[in-house]
Amino acid sequence: MTLTLQPVQVATGAEEEDMLLFDRDQRLLAVLVQLSPENEVAPGQWYLEVGFGRLSELSHPTFADLSAVEDWVNQRSRVGRSRW
Amino acid sequence: MLPAASRSDHHPLVRKLESIFTLTDDERQAVLDLPMQVAVIEEDQDIVREGNRPSRSFAILNGFTCTYKMTGDGKRQIVAFCIPGDMPDVQSLHLKVLDISVATLTKCSVGFVTHEALWDLCMRHPRITAAFWRETLVEGAAFREWILNVGRREAYHRMAHILCELLVRLRAVALAEDHVCDLPITQVEFADALGISTVHVNRVLQELRADGLIETKGTRLIIPDWERLKQAGDFDETYLHLKQGGAAA
């Protein structure tokens, strides 16, 4: 799946640049927040703040970088196809 | 290893029952005479699992445990934190198959008592039977409060609420002083209890700290402003049905 990113600021209190994630039809898939280096749980990682559709995920995973996000989204999309 | 202390009123089970009503000497002695097999269990170990058919129940003598259930795909929901004096699977006296699992959160000392010995205690001491019954009703009240908490309160208030509950319960069994207690629960465990992510648990804890509602030093929880934390947690301890007053008493 071709994904695009758009920088955004999310009002979570941290100063880092966050990302909106779109699919190839420019539909919003997820809001990703980069956690600060001082974060006690996953410093510097990307956090799925909110996902839509197939990415709505109760466990809110974190990712080392944006390519890990892409891998995860592609995997979820495949899971989605096989399920339907 | 002997339970908690040599003084009988320090036995966790006696202390727990005494937080409900004052035991007579006979009743206290009967509890102390229970044939209890004490075991020390390391942290993060299951003590009993869903589906088990236990022939004994256990009391927590030392340490923290949680009661939990899992979804089919392995996600854990903690439905209660259990502290010394609690008997998390006493239901198995009546319900033969466990519908919950209980795991240690810290290294724990637990005392196993056969159902036969518990039945005998209950037959001889109706007030203790009533106390066990009452405990299961209070447990039900706490589950209802948790449903409200997890289902309807925002994460910040949810966390404030659970911290209030833990402090009041620990005080009832003399494990908290004023508004300070040892709370060795990890952020992952709070996440599983509150139904939010660990990242979000961390955020709300930082917010609660920044707002001056809690201070933490290692596993030590200090509540500088009890009234404000109670307000943030929308906390009214009535549902815990303690004999004695709560943290503000």
Side-chain angles (χ1 to χ4, degrees):
Chain A
M1 186 189 288
T2 313
L3 302 170
T4 53
L5 290 162
Q6 181 186 315
V8 69
Q9 285 270 304
V10 180
T12 51
E15 295 298 311
E16 279 70 24
E17 191 171 73
D18 307 314
M19 290 288 175
L20 297 178
L21 181 71
F22 295 92
D23 69 9
R24 65 178 163 203
D25 300 319
Q26 282 301 296
R27 292 179 306 183
L28 182 60
L29 284 176
V31 179
L32 296 155
V33 166
Q34 191 172 23
L35 301 173
S36 81
E38 286 81 40
N39 186 279
E40 294 171 6
V41 175
Q45 299 218 352
W46 288 89
Y47 172 66
L48 179 76
E49 187 72 42
V50 59
F52 301 99
R54 281 181 193 141
L55 301 192
S56 57
E57 170 76 18
L58 281 171
S59 61
H60 295 266
T62 55
F63 306 92
D65 51 39
L66 289 170
S67 73
V69 174
E70 195 175 357
D71 291 346
W72 179 76
V73 172
N74 286 329
Q75 193 192 356
R76 299 279 297 188
S77 305
R78 277 197 297 277
V79 170
R81 271 202 297 276
S82 65
R83 189 178 291 157
W84 293 101
Chain B
M1 186 179 151
L2 282 171
S6 51
R7 281 182 54 196
S8 66
D9 58 343
H10 281 186
H11 188 291
L13 202 49
V14 170
R15 211 163 43 189
K16 171 77 181 195
L17 289 167
E18 291 266 347
S19 78
I20 301 169
F21 65 93
T22 307
L23 295 167
T24 65
D25 290 346
D26 272 2
E27 287 166 339
R28 184 179 296 107
Q29 200 53 50
V31 173
L32 292 170
D33 287 346
L34 273 175
M36 193 173 266
Q37 189 194 342
V38 178
V40 175
I41 303 174
E42 293 299 318
E43 65 176 30
D44 295 328
Q45 303 294 315
D46 282 337
I47 305 173
V48 288
R49 290 201 182 112
E50 192 171 348
N52 284 173
R53 293 169 170 269
S55 59
R56 57 184 190 171
S57 292
F58 65 93
I60 301 163
L61 304 177
N62 202 326
F64 282 66
T65 73
C66 70
T67 301
Y68 71 91
K69 291 179 77 83
M70 303 275 273
T71 61
D73 60 354
K75 289 176 187 152
R76 177 174 74 161
Q77 176 68 44
I78 291 177
V79 297
F81 289 119
C82 305
I83 61 173
D86 287 346
M87 296 185 73
D89 74 339
V90 76
Q91 56 178 301
S92 63
L93 202 51
H94 293 278
L95 306 177
K96 294 305 163 198
V97 183
L98 276 183
D99 54 64
I100 43 135
S101 301
V102 182
T104 57
L105 300 179
T106 61
K107 187 175 183 175
C108 283
S109 167
V110 304
F112 291 98
V113 184
T114 63
H115 285 166
E116 199 184 346
L118 280 173
W119 274 116
D120 183 55
L121 177 74
C122 290
M123 299 304 273
R124 286 187 293 118
H125 297 280
R127 290 209 317 160
I128 293 178
T129 312
F132 285 153
W133 183 8
R134 186 183 187 281
E135 267 310 289
T136 61
L137 295 173
V138 173
E139 206 175 66
F143 288 144
R144 293 190 284 277
E145 187 69 28
W146 273 46
I147 291 171
L148 175 67
N149 200 38
V150 171
R152 284 290 174 239
R153 290 194 185 104
E154 297 300 324
Y156 179 90
H157 307 289
R158 225 181 270 187
M159 175 62 85
H161 189 279
I162 209 167
L163 293 176
C164 289
E165 178 186 302
L166 284 162
L167 184 85
V168 168
R169 288 174 56 211
L170 287 166
R171 275 193 65 158
V173 290
L175 289 174
E177 249 178 72
D178 294 329
H179 300 102
V180 179
C181 62
D182 191 42
L183 200 60
I185 298 174
T186 66
Q187 297 193 24
V188 171
E189 289 151 0
F190 273 124
D192 285 354
L194 297 176
I196 55 179
S197 70
T198 318
V199 168
H200 213 50
V201 165
N202 186 246
R203 273 184 195 155
V204 294
L205 284 175
Q206 297 212 29
E207 279 177 54
L208 287 165
R209 282 188 207 125
D211 292 345
L213 298 187
I214 60 165
E215 291 169 18
T216 48
K217 282 180 191 156
T219 59
R220 203 121 189 100
L221 171 70
I222 300 146
I223 299 170
D225 192 335
W226 173 243
E227 286 306 318
R228 275 181 62 219
L229 187 70
K230 262 185 16 176
Q231 204 173 9
D234 184 23
F235 180 76
D236 173 351
E237 70 185 57
T238 309
Y239 73 95
L240 293 171
H241 302 279
L242 297 166
K243 180 187 75 171
Q244 293 153 357

